[in-house]
Amino acid sequence: MFTQYVEEKKELLLAIAKDRKLSDLPKITQPTLIVWGDQDKIFPLELGHRLKRHLGENAQLVVIKNAGHAFLYEKPSEFHKPLKAFLLGSPKSPSITDENHNV
C-alpha cells in the first residue's frame, strides 16, 4: 500500500514529528478511542501507548495484532468490533483493551 514516493513520505513524516512532544497536545476530556496496528511502521506502537498515557483515563487503546498503519483495510472486523462497542457506549468489553492488551 502506498509504495510510491516512500522516501519522500518518510522525510515528510520526520519533518512533521521533529521537535514535537505529546505535552504540546491538548488534553481531551471526552471519551476517546485510540486504535493502533501493532506492526505500524509509520507510527510505532510506542507512540500509541504514549498518547494513551497522555490522554489518561478517558482514553482506551485498542491494539490490533498483525496489522500495520492501514489496519482499517487489513483487519476491518477487528477494527469495527471495538469501534461499535465504543460508539454504542457499552462497558469496556474484552475487545476494547487498555495499553497492556491486544485484540
Side-chain angles (χ1 to χ4, degrees), residues 9-43:
K9 290 175 184 176
K10 283 181 185 177
E11 289 175 24
L12 177 61
L13 288 170
L14 290 174
I16 290 170
K18 188 178 180 182
D19 299 326
R20 288 219 165 157
K21 298 176 183 169
L22 285 179
S23 60
D24 296 337
L25 294 175
K27 289 276 188 169
I28 299 171
T29 58
Q30 66 268 29
T32 304
L33 179 65
I34 305 165
V35 183
W36 220 279
D38 72 342
Q39 302 299 312
D40 192 327
K41 297 198 184 322
I42 296 172
F43 297 108

Side-chain angles (χ1 to χ4, degrees), residues 22-87:
L22 285 179
S23 60
D24 296 337
L25 294 175
K27 289 276 188 169
I28 299 171
T29 58
Q30 66 268 29
T32 304
L33 179 65
I34 305 165
V35 183
W36 220 279
D38 72 342
Q39 302 299 312
D40 192 327
K41 297 198 184 322
I42 296 172
F43 297 108
L45 179 56
E46 177 53 33
L47 291 176
H49 292 295
R50 288 176 53 203
L51 180 58
K52 161 65 174 103
R53 286 190 298 271
H54 173 75
L55 295 177
E57 292 300 315
N58 285 328
Q60 297 173 1
L61 173 62
V62 174
V63 177
I64 300 179
K65 287 195 265 186
N66 301 315
H69 190 70
F71 58 82
L72 177 60
Y73 301 106
E74 298 169 29
K75 304 265 183 149
S77 64
E78 284 87 344
F79 169 68
H80 289 114
K81 287 176 190 176
L83 176 63
K84 182 178 178 182
F86 178 79
L87 292 174

